[in-house]
């Protein structure tokens, strides 16, 4: 059996269970200073004055960096990184000063003594579909078209016997990897060395070298172990820029970590979304119109447009379609990448709407989706490289016991609980970007794989080893793996579910070339025989096709009539994500995604305090994420999917497909249990309790 | 513990001796220093993680006198004389602690950042179960256990480990790991 497809245990598992795996902050070069961020306490206006005097007089304090004494930075296309460059404040929590001291305790206490006065302006913090400053951006995140119109949606809606018109909303969602963002920065002359909690050090190096005006080769960034990211550690964040800038100014190494509270503002988050969904169908269930108008927010300094309506463009066949995005700049922290940008909130809306349509038509929700399965990508007209949504739905229905389901809502009672089941479909792009990789053969029979992949908990380190072993036809134990360092051949960041496919293609190419080179090399030199690959040409030459992973989610929900509490005893996800390269780590990704989707559906709620003009619940005591007791045993299965039209790895990526459909499946199950359609996540008890029948 | 002289303009500190993983460590600590920061920044024991610094996530869980505590909510000066065990002190040389072994075998982690806390918390909860301590998930608190203490099931584990958050969503694999560890402990 090939090494690919084997459930190998994580290479770094032992380090992780013994505590020897070091994350970004866990290094203290000699002479290191600790940095503590001071954040703005107004949401809009300007800094009038900063008095650092008292802080500077405190023991151990070496420097207080403000807009007046910071280095001048270059704009690298992300205004979030232009820290301490002006008096301007655009949201509460923006960085206004950085205190550097000999110890953490000294830095933290001194930060509280930095006195900042402001000239405050009124702040605008409420998102609505009627906000006068809503605008159509030039494009969404990932450069998708802002609007797409096919046919005549209004006419189709007017003519259809069955229509749905509903608005769904999701609150701001904070990534909150367990490891807060952190950086250790050290200059050697004009060369900069960073240990950074990032999903991709090449991307980070591009950003950092641009911000500081350095040649990329004088910046080295490493991220050996990363404590989760979920998108928040994709782009470089202010922590890395602050550490590098401060280290330059004080001439000593500097380490910085966000507090958990700072994670709610300085590391990105998913914009709250509002989706106006309109569906029109014939009585037989065939869709005649799909309309998805999405609304979100950006910050005054940086535009990141959640592509909420984009997944709707590819899901179902309907002759008339409309998808639009409108955003408004509010005085709130800058939204950014969060697991499944676009798909996650967008599919919650669309797949809830499809459930409402199924009920209105009296058609089973699984069958309704199958009925509207498109033959080609409705948006581009391109063929799908493979599309096994129907297979996922059918297999899931069988495994979940769907056929026995009574479609009527609110009729299953078990003591004080109402019980229901729900389904939703999932889609996520299977993209690839160019990467490079080097494999070196040594005379002792070992091989070194060098590829600047990043393992943020996905199992990347293990999977790239398997791909290398497979390409060389050797056992995985013959491969030494080096990742997470810009000194290695450049590779894609871990994000957008494209990491494994991108790294894997480069590794396979290097492996094949090395095998060839070995044939003509009578004796491998002691220094080894190396091959460096680059997939830029192959990626550019890929034929245009619609490449996506698909999935179907099935959920059982129980709703407590006494309290309105929702529990989920059972979840099933069936996925079609191409070839599964390591079943053990892939399963963990699917299960982890479903767990986060469950958390989104039932728990996570970011509340804007209009008076303070900020999110009010900025910690784990008040921003609840799913804990052990909230998470059932999660059942995951995948279809064997051979797709010859994607990368040679055959894998479509598994980081996001597990998450994107989960919340809709939960909400649909809650409707089936109670008859109550919650169109505004999360489904907290207060949204149910008043409409629930008496338990007695 | 002898509070050192308070120098003008200087934060008070104390000379203390901490017993960590069976080793005495004498050090001068800032009285404000948490046990967590002392372990990580002073003793270079970075296995214990900081997820929130507020007692809300469990990443910093260590064992103090055999009981699990949030080291971020514990001042270093307050635990002088107590036996402190961190994730680095669980294994017996190269032999992993049964809980570490079970997490490894069950793939009870992804990024690994919550993992030392989950593991220390599990060691603590197994000791609590052994002593017969009930939990919210215990149906009948008057008859919780036989001579071996509480026999855990999935719901007991989920309840007792709920102070340890995992954003990667590795919970589903940790539950069988904890059950394996209790079984191993009883063999
Ligand atoms: S770091 Fe101590 S509980 Fe979170
Ligand atoms: S394994 Fe990543 S937070 Fe638990």
């Amino acid at each position: 059996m090939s090494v690919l497809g084997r459930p190998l245990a994580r290479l770094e598992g032992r380090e992780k269970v013994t505590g020897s795996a070091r994350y970004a902050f866990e290094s203290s070069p000699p002479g290191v200073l600790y940095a503590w961020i001071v954040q703005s306490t107004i949401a809009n206006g300007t800094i009038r004055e900063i008095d650092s005097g008292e802080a500077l007089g405190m023991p151990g304090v070496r420097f207080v960096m403000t807009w007046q004494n910071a280095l001048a930075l270059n704009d690298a296309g992300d205004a979030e990184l232009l820290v301490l460059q002006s008096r301007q404040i655009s949201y509460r929590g923006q960085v206004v000063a950085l205190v550097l001291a000999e110890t953490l305790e000294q830095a933290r206490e001194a930060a509280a003594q930095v006195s900042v006065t402001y000239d405050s302006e009124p702040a605008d913090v409420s998102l609505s579909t009627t906000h006068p400053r809503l605008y159509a951006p030039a494009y969404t995140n990932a450069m998708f078209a802002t609007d797409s119109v096919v046919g005549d949606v209004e006419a189709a809606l007017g003519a259809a016997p069955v229509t749905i018109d509903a608005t769904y909303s999701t609150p701001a969602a904070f990534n909150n990897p367990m490891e807060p963002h952190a950086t250790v920065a050290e200059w050697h002359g004009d060369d900069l060395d960073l240990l950074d909690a990032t999903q991709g050090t090449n991307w980070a190096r591009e950003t950092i070298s641009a911000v500081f005006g350095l040649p990329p080769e004088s910046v080295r960034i490493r991220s050996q172990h990363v404590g989760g990211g979920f998108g928040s550690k994709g782009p470089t964040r202010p922590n890395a820029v602050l550490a590098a800038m401060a280290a330059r100014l004080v001439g000593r190494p500097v380490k910085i970590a966000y507090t958990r509270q700072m994670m709610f503002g300085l590391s990105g988050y998913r914009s709250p979304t509002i989706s106006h969904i309109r569906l029109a169908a014939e009585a037989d269930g065939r869709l005649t119109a799909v309309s998805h108008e999405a609304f979100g927010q950006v910050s005054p300094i940086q535009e990141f447009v959640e592509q909420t309506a984009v997944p709707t463009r590819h899901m179902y066949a309907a002759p008339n379609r409309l998808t639009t995005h409108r955003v408004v700049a509010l005085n709130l922290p800058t939204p950014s990448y969060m697991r499944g940008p676009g798909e996650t909130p967008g599919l919650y809306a669309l797949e809830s709407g499809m459930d409402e349509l199924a009920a209105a038509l009296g058609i089973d929700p699984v069958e309704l989706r199958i009925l509207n399965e498109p033959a080609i990508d409705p948006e581009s007209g391109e063929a799908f490289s493979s599309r096994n949504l129907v297979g996922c739905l059918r297999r899931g229905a069988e495994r979940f016991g769907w056929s026995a389901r009574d479609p009527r809502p609110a009729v299953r009672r078990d003591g004080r609980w109402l019980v229901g089941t729900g389904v939703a479909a999932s889609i996520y792009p299977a993209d690839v970007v160019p990467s490079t990789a080097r494999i070196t053969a040594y005379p002792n029979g070992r091989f070194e794989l060098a590829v600047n992949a990043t393992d943020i908990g996905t199992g990347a380190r293990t999977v790239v080893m398997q791909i290398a072993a497979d390409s060389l036809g050797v056992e995985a134990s013959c491969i030494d793996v080096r990742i997470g360092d810009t000194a290695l051949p450049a590779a894609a960041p871990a994000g957008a579910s494209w990491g494994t496919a991108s790294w894997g293609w480069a590794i396979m190419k290097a492996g094949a070339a090395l095998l060839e080179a070995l044939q003509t090399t009578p004796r491998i030199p002691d220094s080894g025989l190396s091959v460096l690959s680059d997939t830029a040409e192959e990626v550019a030459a890929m034929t245009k096709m619609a490449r996506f992973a698909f999935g179907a989610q099935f959920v059982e929900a129980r709703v407590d009539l006494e309290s309105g509490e929702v529990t989920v005893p059972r979840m099933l996800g069936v996925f079609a994500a191409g070839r599964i390269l390591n079943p053990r780590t892939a399963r963990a990704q699917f299960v982890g995604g479903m767990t986060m989707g469950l958390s989104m559906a039932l728990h996570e709620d970011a509340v804007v305090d209009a008076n303070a003009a900020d999110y009010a619940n900025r910690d784990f005591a008040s921003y609840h994420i799913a804990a052990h007791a909230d998470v059932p045993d999660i059942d995951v299965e995948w279809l064997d999917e051979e797709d010859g039209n994607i990368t040679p790895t055959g894998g479509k990526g598994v980081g996001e497909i597990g998450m994107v459909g989960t919340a809709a499946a939960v909400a649909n199950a809650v409707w089936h249990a109670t008859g109550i359609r919650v169109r505004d996540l999360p489904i907290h008890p207060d949204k149910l309790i008043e409409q629930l029948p008496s338990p007695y | 513990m002898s509070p050192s002289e308070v120098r003008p303009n200087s934060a008070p500190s104390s000379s203390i001796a901490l017993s960590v993983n069976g080793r005495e460590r004498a050090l001068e600590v800032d009285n404000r220093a948490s046990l967590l920061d002392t372990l990580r920044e002073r003793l270079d024991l970075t296995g214990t993680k900081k997820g929130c610094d507020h007692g809300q996530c469990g990443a910093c869980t260590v064992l103090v006198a055999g009981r699990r505590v949030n080291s971020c909510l514990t001042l270093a000066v307050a635990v002088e004389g107590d036996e402190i065990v961190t994730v680095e002190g669980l294994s017996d040389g190269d032999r992993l602690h049964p809980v570490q072994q079970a997490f490894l075998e069950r793939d009870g982690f992804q990024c690994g950042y919550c993992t030392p806390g989950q593991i220390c918390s599990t060691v603590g909860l197994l000791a609590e179960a052994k002593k017969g301590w009930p939990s919210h998930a215990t149906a009948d608190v008057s008859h919780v256990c036989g001579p071996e203490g509480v026999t855990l099931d999935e719901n007991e584990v989920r309840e007792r480990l709920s102070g340890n958050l995992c954003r990667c969503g590795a919970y589903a694999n940790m539950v069988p790991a904890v059950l394996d560890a209790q079984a191993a402990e009883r063999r």
Side-chain angles (χ1 to χ4, degrees):
Chain A
M1 182 179 154
S2 154
V3 182
L4 271 187
R6 272 195 226 158
L8 295 194
R10 293 166 202 273
L11 260 182
E12 72 289 354
R14 201 178 166 91
E15 283 98 309
K16 285 182 175 172
V17 300
T18 56
S20 64
R22 291 215 180 225
Y23 297 73
F25 194 73
E26 294 165 357
S27 162
S28 294
V32 75
L33 288 176
Y34 289 86
W36 201 281
I37 293 171
V38 181
Q39 295 177 278
S40 72
T41 55
I42 65 159
N44 190 22
T46 49
I47 298 168
R48 187 187 304 160
E49 203 186 332
I50 301 183
D51 181 357
S52 311
E54 190 174 344
L56 277 169
M58 292 174 72
V61 176
R62 297 292 171 252
F63 191 58
V64 177
M65 188 164 68
T66 70
W67 73 275
Q68 287 160 303
N69 59 12
L71 288 178
L73 302 173
N74 302 317
D75 186 352
D78 182 355
E80 274 289 286
L81 301 180
L82 295 173
V83 278
L84 304 179
Q85 299 297 292
S86 79
R87 293 175 179 272
Q88 188 64 41
I89 299 297
S90 301
Y91 61 82
R92 195 170 175 273
Q94 248 181 308
V95 180
V96 295
L98 189 77
V99 174
L100 293 139
E102 300 289 341
T103 72
L104 258 182
E105 294 79 22
Q106 291 166 338
R108 180 181 185 172
E109 182 155 349
Q113 303 311 321
V114 175
S115 148
V116 187
T117 52
Y118 303 92
D119 290 307
S120 188
E121 308 273 334
D124 183 356
V125 295
S126 11
L127 172 65
S128 78
T129 57
T130 54
H131 198 292
R133 288 194 295 106
L134 280 170
Y135 69 96
Y139 41 78
T140 73
N141 171 47
M143 309 290 284
F144 293 114
T146 301
D147 294 352
S148 172
V149 184
V150 178
D152 187 342
V153 159
E154 304 301 332
L157 280 158
V162 183
T163 58
I164 293 296
D165 183 331
T167 299
Y168 305 89
S169 54
T170 60
F174 290 89
N175 312 53
N176 274 312
M178 289 308 297
E179 178 204 21
H181 290 56
T183 308
V184 179
E186 190 171 8
W187 290 84
H188 307 281
D190 287 335
D191 290 346
L192 175 62
D193 204 334
L194 297 183
L195 303 174
D196 192 31
T198 174
Q199 292 173 224
T201 53
N202 281 114
W203 188 7
R205 181 168 72 172
E206 214 174 285
T207 306
I208 288 287
S209 57
V211 165
F212 289 96
L214 296 167
E217 55 280 8
S218 55
V219 179
R220 182 178 185 192
I221 308 183
R222 284 169 287 172
S223 63
Q224 282 304 300
H225 298 288
V226 183
F230 317 110
S232 71
K233 291 174 185 164
T236 294
R237 300 298 181 189
N239 51 294
V241 176
L242 289 168
M245 184 157 57
R248 186 68 163 171
L249 288 175
V250 296
R252 288 170 65 174
V254 166
K255 61 197 281 193
I256 187 172
Y258 286 169
T259 62
R260 180 54 57 187
Q261 287 73 11
M262 291 171 193
M263 296 293 289
F264 293 77
L266 294 174
S267 64
Y269 64 103
R270 187 191 318 285
S271 163
T273 68
I274 303 171
S275 286
H276 180 205
I277 298 276
R278 290 177 299 163
L279 304 172
E282 301 291 359
D284 66 3
R286 272 179 303 119
L287 284 165
T288 55
V290 174
S291 169
H292 187 166
E293 294 156 279
F295 302 84
Q297 73 195 30
V298 299
S299 83
I301 60 169
Q302 187 66 32
E303 184 186 81
F304 178 98
V305 178
E306 180 91 10
Q307 65 266 38
T308 307
V310 166
T312 301
R313 295 174 181 168
H314 310 285
M315 276 305 263
Y316 301 114
N320 304 288
R321 298 188 314 277
L322 178 138
T323 44
T324 63
H325 298 84
R326 297 293 178 270
V327 288
V328 56
L330 299 177
N331 296 112
L332 287 166
T334 302
S336 180
Y337 301 91
M338 160 79 177
R339 204 173 196 172
E343 277 74 13
T344 301
L347 287 176
Y348 158 65
L350 176 66
E351 291 299 288
S352 294
M354 287 296 281
D355 202 62
E356 298 207 42
L357 180 64
L361 287 161
I363 295 179
D364 179 84
V366 169
E367 295 308 319
L368 179 67
R369 289 174 171 88
I370 293 173
L371 203 60
N372 287 290
E373 177 72 0
I376 53 166
D377 178 19
E379 185 71 11
S380 65
E382 290 159 4
F384 285 102
S385 67
S386 59
R387 178 172 168 127
N388 284 306
L389 175 57
V390 171
C392 293
L393 286 162
R394 290 225 189 279
R395 174 63 193 141
E398 183 187 325
R399 191 171 169 114
F400 197 74
W402 188 260
S403 64
R405 181 181 189 257
D406 177 345
R408 292 172 302 153
V411 295
R412 286 150 300 275
R413 180 87 185 257
D414 177 11
R416 57 189 254 193
W417 301 86
L418 285 174
V419 183
T421 52
V423 65
S426 307
I427 182 172
Y428 197 80
D431 289 336
V432 61
V433 288
S435 281
T436 67
R438 186 181 60 233
I439 307 183
T440 307
Y442 289 100
N444 63 1
R446 297 200 63 78
F447 298 87
E448 183 195 77
L449 167 65
V451 56
N452 192 19
T454 316
D455 194 329
I456 58 172
T458 56
R461 191 179 266 107
T462 313
V463 174
V464 295
M465 168 186 71
Q466 288 174 268
I467 297 171
D470 182 74
S471 73
L472 296 164
V474 301
E475 281 302 316
S477 55
C478 301
I479 313 283
D480 297 311
V481 181
R482 294 178 60 201
I483 64 169
D485 185 345
T486 51
L488 303 172
S497 293
W498 67 29
T500 303
S502 305
W503 309 320
W505 197 348
I507 294 164
M508 291 175 95
K509 192 178 167 189
L514 181 59
L515 283 184
E516 236 179 81
L518 284 171
Q519 304 229 308
T520 55
T521 309
R523 200 186 144 272
I524 301 173
D526 287 346
S527 58
L529 179 66
S530 275
V531 166
L532 180 69
S533 71
D534 185 341
T535 57
E537 277 175 24
E538 286 84 348
V539 171
M542 284 177 89
T543 51
K544 280 183 74 68
M545 278 194 117
R547 297 179 175 88
F548 296 92
F550 292 89
Q553 315 255 1
F554 294 80
V555 165
E556 178 180 326
R558 295 166 70 87
V559 179
D560 184 355
L561 288 169
E562 303 254 14
S563 67
E565 183 192 3
V566 180
T567 62
V568 170
R570 203 154 69 95
M571 293 174 91
L572 165 67
V574 179
F575 301 99
R579 187 173 181 193
I580 297 301
L581 306 174
N582 180 328
R584 186 178 170 98
T585 53
R587 179 177 298 275
Q589 286 296 292
F590 291 135
V591 168
M594 290 171 72
T595 303
M596 199 178 267
L598 177 70
S599 186
M600 166 191 177
L602 296 182
H603 303 290
E604 295 178 41
D605 193 11
V607 180
V608 173
D609 177 334
N611 288 323
D614 197 2
Y615 290 99
N617 46 341
R618 287 171 291 122
D619 63 21
F620 282 140
S622 51
Y623 183 88
H624 287 177
I625 63 168
H628 272 275
D630 300 311
V631 180
D633 199 16
I634 296 173
D635 190 14
V636 161
E637 195 180 287
W638 49 83
L639 307 181
D640 282 327
E641 190 179 61
E642 289 292 325
D643 186 333
N645 295 306
I646 51 175
T647 73
T649 62
K652 287 181 173 177
V654 295
E656 273 138 320
I657 189 71
M659 165 133 187
V660 295
T662 306
V666 173
N668 295 342
V670 168
W671 172 79
H672 188 235
T674 62
I676 303 166
R677 185 67 69 177
V678 177
R679 299 190 183 88
D680 176 35
L681 291 184
I683 308 173
H684 279 181
D686 62 316
K687 293 184 183 150
L688 298 170
I689 190 77
E690 278 178 10
Q691 299 173 65
L692 286 172
S694 161
Y696 307 107
Chain B
M1 190 186 307
S2 63
S4 73
E5 235 180 304
V6 178
R7 294 180 297 275
N9 216 9
S10 150
S13 62
S14 305
S15 308
I16 60 170
L18 290 181
S19 163
V20 185
N21 299 330
R23 245 183 92 192
E24 284 286 306
R25 315 283 294 251
L27 68 173
E28 179 84 9
V29 293
D30 189 315
N31 291 347
R32 298 166 296 190
S34 66
L35 174 58
L36 174 61
D37 287 332
T38 304
L39 291 168
R40 285 167 62 82
E41 307 304 328
R42 299 292 305 283
L43 300 179
D44 200 32
L45 290 169
T46 56
T48 307
K49 303 303 183 200
K50 183 185 285 187
C52 72
D53 216 14
H54 277 56
Q56 299 169 350
C57 77
C60 64
T61 306
V62 299
L63 299 158
V64 176
R67 292 186 58 174
R68 44 182 172 158
V69 304
N70 288 332
S71 62
C72 70
L73 294 187
T74 306
L75 291 173
V77 292
V79 289
E80 188 175 27
D82 289 325
E83 182 57 46
I84 299 157
V85 176
T86 71
V87 70
E88 292 96 339
L90 290 176
S91 61
D92 178 6
D94 272 353
R95 253 204 31 239
L96 294 179
H97 187 282
V99 174
Q100 293 172 316
Q101 188 63 37
F103 269 68
L104 205 53
E105 279 167 13
R106 292 286 188 168
D107 199 32
F109 56 92
Q110 292 179 30
C111 77
Y113 198 79
C114 72
T115 311
Q118 304 276 1
I119 287 174
C120 287
S121 198
T122 298
V123 173
L125 86 78
L126 290 177
E128 291 158 20
K130 201 167 180 177
K131 286 187 223 151
W133 294 8
S135 82
H136 177 70
T138 310
D140 180 358
V141 294
S142 60
H143 290 95
V144 289
C145 61
E148 294 192 292
V150 181
T151 298
L152 299 173
D153 62 16
E154 294 182 346
N155 282 335
E156 282 278 10
V157 173
R158 290 184 186 123
E159 173 61 29
R160 290 169 189 257
L161 216 40
S162 273
N164 290 82
L165 298 176
C166 174
R167 189 55 159 164
C168 293
Y171 299 127
N173 284 359
M174 290 186 230
V175 173
V178 177
L179 295 176
D180 285 359
Q182 188 180 53
E185 180 186 81
R186 290 178 170 190
R187 267 200 296 275

